[in-house]
Amino acid sequence: MGDRFVVVPVDGGGDAAEHSGSVVAQTTRLTGGDGGEEEPEVEEDPVFEPQDPNVAVPILKYNREPNKYGDGVPKENSPFINNTDNDKSNSYDGTNMALFEEEMDSNPMVSSLLDKLANYTNLTQGAQEHEEADDDEGSKKKAVKSPQMGTFMGVYLPCLQNILGVILFLRLTWIVGTAGILESLAIVGLCCSCTMLTAISMSAIATNGVVPAGGSYYMISRSLGPEFGGAVGLCFYLGTTFAGSMYILGTIEILLTYIVPKAAIFVAEKKEDEGEALLNNMRVYGTCCLTLMSVVVFVGVKYVNKLALVFLACVILSILAIYAGVIKTIFEPPDFPVCMLGNRTLQNQNFDKCLKVDTIGNLTTTTQLYKLFCNGPESNATCNEYFLNNNVTQIQGIPGLISGVISENMWSEYGPLGMLVENKKLSSVGGSDPTQDIYLPYVVNDIASFFTLLVGIYFPSVTGIMAGSNRSGDLRDAQRSIPVGTILAIFTTSIIYFTCVVLFGACIEGVLLRDKFGDSVKGNLVIGTLSWPSPWVIVIGSFFSCCGAGLQSLTGAPRLLQAIARDGIVPFLQVFGHGKANGEPTWALLLTGAICEIGILIASLDAVAPILSMFFLMCYLFVNLACALQTLLRTPNWRPRFKYYHWALSFLGMSLCLALMFISSWYYAIVAMVIAGCIYKYIEYRGAEKEWGDGIRGLSLNAARFALIRLEEAPPHTKNWRPQCLVLLNLDSDQAVKHPRLLSFTSQLKAGKGLTIVGNVLEGTFLTKDAEAKKAEQNIKSSMTAERTKGFCHVVVSSNLRDGVSHLIQSAGLGGMKHNTVLMAWPGTWKQSNDTQSWKNFIETIRETTSAHQALLVAKNVDSFPTNQERLGEGTIDVWWVVHDGGLLMLLPFLLRQHKVWRKCKMRIFTVAQMDDNSIQMKKDLQTFLYHLRLNAEVEVVEMHDNDISAFTYEKTLVMEQRSQMLKQMQLSKTEREREAQLIHDRNTASHSMNDKSETLPDRVHMTWTKEKLFTERNRNRECNSNLAMRDLFNMKPEWGSLNQTNVRRMHTAIKLNEVVVNKSQGAHLVLLNMPGPPKNRGGDENYMEFLEVLLEGLNRVLLVRGGGREVITIYS
């Protein structure tokens, strides 16, 4: 605020002294100190009076100068323009609105809002603020005056100046002569229709709010998002830069061809070398001209702006001279004879008279023309056969408007490189050697000509329609002036082009129209021969016009690049956002000069024009797309003041731009699209994320809504099933992610496909934990970016972790786009006495996912999992398929091996056979099943024999139960402890009495993988010798007899299965194992954790998998 408001002393009077106390108090609150921080508020004292009533009282005045710091980009998410945080600290005194006084900082009074909008001044853009910085060196800046430019001076004339230019003066006559009047009208009509439709779309966008510096780049980026904005903005920058090259080449062509031809450094000794010599001269002089113009722009850009009216006057005077010359041809056509040999046009720069022999008195002598076609001046010299067979005649190059030549110029005269320019109505006798014609002074085509080439060459003559939107800061009423001025300028220039095409075809002989450089009229500019009062009016006017256009391109292009760099969407361009102390874009100017030099080295105006046509057409295409998109989406903020637009017109303009790109040059069009696509992808992956409320974001929302509604219709088919993950992360006390490798594993499993939701729960209330939740979300997003995990972050604040996780499992996702798999890390600290809740929450999460019919993946030792940068060598992913719960165990290794981290790993599948199973047949069946699943894996069937329960198992179970009782007792009160002790004593007594019965203990323990085997196990008769063995075992340690036999059997299973898995898979890169479910009786939860710990003991990387109750893999196509 300190830069926007200044304290201005006012001579104290009665009124000033009377209110000085309140003024000083308000000043203190509003200015907020030097650094923008809030100062302690000064209490307002109603009886405060200054000691000296004559002392000047400071008052607050709004300063409309640009902020000295930063890039001055307005905060677009605020209703205020150029809003700053300190602007919100408005003082409020009064009782009428006391109900709202606590919210005044964030929700200001309507009167305050209107006052800010009324005081807003959109500063002059472009180079004008830099001029003022130069003028104000060391002195106090003066307030910038309000913009006063109207439609005519602010939009109409700048657009005219930018549209009319080098192509009109140097190439339009050649286009008319080559394409004919009808096809030339088609070319002009196509290009002018394209720009008119684009102007309508641009008017709608430009009147939908304030357009700050950046012009077309700003409009596209804010309408289509940073990716499209950056890509098209850089294309528009390249187009503007190559336009500078084209104008400089036009300047040099006029200089060397029409003003001072003798200044050429490279002179062709042979006619066939003239083209190459001209290009080399263009390169040398063009480089010098570019250097000079760059220095002028760097040193004195204000002089460029001040000369703009001079350059505009040159353009207007030149066009008026053309129309005046056309009118004069009706009464007195100018005398510009064209010398013809037969029907061929001759270059008459090297001879004075259009005669073979000349009679001076009684003496007949050969002419200079004779010497050009013969090997000597003698009358008996050997001459070119065509020269001998045909007569030399003269025709008028400009027969006049009413001569009827228009009928001859209606049709096209395309031809290849080197084709002779001929007049078909004149007689001609053949006999020449075509291979020798290139060495003779004929006028020939310097390039191959065809319709599409002419479109690409002509299109730059209709560009420049953005000049008005780029100057929106200078306009009194930009939202009215931009549409009216731009459309009127396009309409005016279109009329000029259409009339010029018809008038050129009606006034000028066809062979002269096709003579690009005016060689047949002694090197005069063809359009200059038509002008009145002198050809030099056009020559000088077009020379200064091209100079001015080149200077303006070199002025505008660096500022456009600076605007893109300051937006921060393209990281490698940030250096070009800096400049001199006054903001002059020095580095951007250097880059612009370097790119411009590329166009200069091409050296041909006809070759450079299609290049910049591509970039401008791409820019116009996206302007039309932006308007159409905003119109169809009907976003609430789309309220343009310009009402004469329609989405169909925008789509027509977009289609026309695309068609013109490929008509002009299909390979240039592809190159331009590839450049834009590369920039788009670069910004998407590496650029800064910007939220500009763009149309692409709105389109994405509509597409997402449509897709979600379609997904809601039915659950996904098994063939479309893929793990849509909810990743439960843990954070430390600093809100940092504890296990970032879990995110790495997620990205390896997903490979960017499907849904990923990363969730976390904070304990507390949302009102008190809001800041921590935002910090946690930011940290998680940073970790996701670092681990290349694409997905969404969801931080929930809940009164306890258990409820928070439950809420995430139930409500994460939207519609049909919900998670079907939960991924979490193994609670490694569950055995610690101070962390009893971790394993309880873990088991409850398992139960919740099972109840929700969701799959569960638990990663043990997750910190040892590979990062995305690692590449695992030859190794295996081992799958232990113990029970079938939908085939998720089969699918996960396949998905992992799609990622480059696991690509070299082989898949092995182990399954368990028991005594009653045929292991050989099981292996064959499993191989067949995998073949139908199209999975490549090694298969191995592991036989697990029935063994007696070992003493180690009983000891392990005993330790587990004793620890479980200890944990329970630590959480009970004294009375509850006594009651629990009694219950334990009763249960132990009952267990001892049960040992005397014959059915107490089974003879052997089966691993019950199916219901049938479970029933067989329960109904099996116990043998007497087994009971005797058990009694002997219990006699060794009597306390074993009190153990829960279900726990003993489960511990036995865990130990035996662990032995097998460790034996087979200890060296595997990853082990996937069926996760047994928690007990239905919650009293055994702590024992369940111990079972899992024993099951996984000795294994490095383990992924426990629990299916969601549905098939996720199928053999069918």
Side-chain angles (χ1 to χ4, degrees), residues 339-352:
C339 188
M340 307 291 296
L341 176 62
N343 64 356
R344 299 178 181 179
T345 311
L346 297 176
Q347 298 178 352
N348 66 353
Q349 293 176 329
N350 297 322
F351 59 89
D352 297 327

Side-chain angles (χ1 to χ4, degrees), residues 125-126 149-164 198-199 202 206 211-212 214-217 219 236 240 247 312 462-475 478 481-483 485-487 489-490 552 556 616 619-620:
Q125 297 159 341
M149 297 184 74
T151 303
F152 186 75
M153 290 296 294
V155 181
Y156 181 74
L157 290 182
C159 284
L160 272 185
Q161 181 184 0
N162 281 268
I163 294 172
L164 301 171
T198 303
M202 184 198 70
V211 179
S216 58
Y217 159 69
M219 289 189 294
F236 191 55
T240 308
Y247 290 127
L312 177 59
V462 297
T463 59
I465 62 174
M466 301 289 186
S469 63
N470 291 343
R471 295 167 175 257
S472 60
D474 303 335
L475 304 174
S481 296
I482 289 176
T486 305
I487 292 174
I490 294 174
Q552 289 184 338
F616 279 119
C619 177
Y620 297 164

Side-chain angles (χ1 to χ4, degrees), residues 602-637:
I602 294 174
S604 172
L605 186 69
D606 302 319
V608 172
I611 296 176
L612 64 100
S613 295
M614 290 303 115
F615 293 123
F616 279 119
L617 279 167
M618 183 166 289
C619 177
Y620 297 164
L621 183 150
F622 281 101
V623 168
N624 284 295
L625 175 62
C627 180
L629 200 61
Q630 298 278 28
T631 306
L632 290 175
L633 290 177
R634 298 178 183 175
T635 51
N637 192 53

Side-chain angles (χ1 to χ4, degrees), residues 536-550:
W536 286 101
V537 175
I538 296 287
V539 173
I540 300 301
S542 59
F543 177 77
F544 283 110
S545 170
C546 292
C547 280

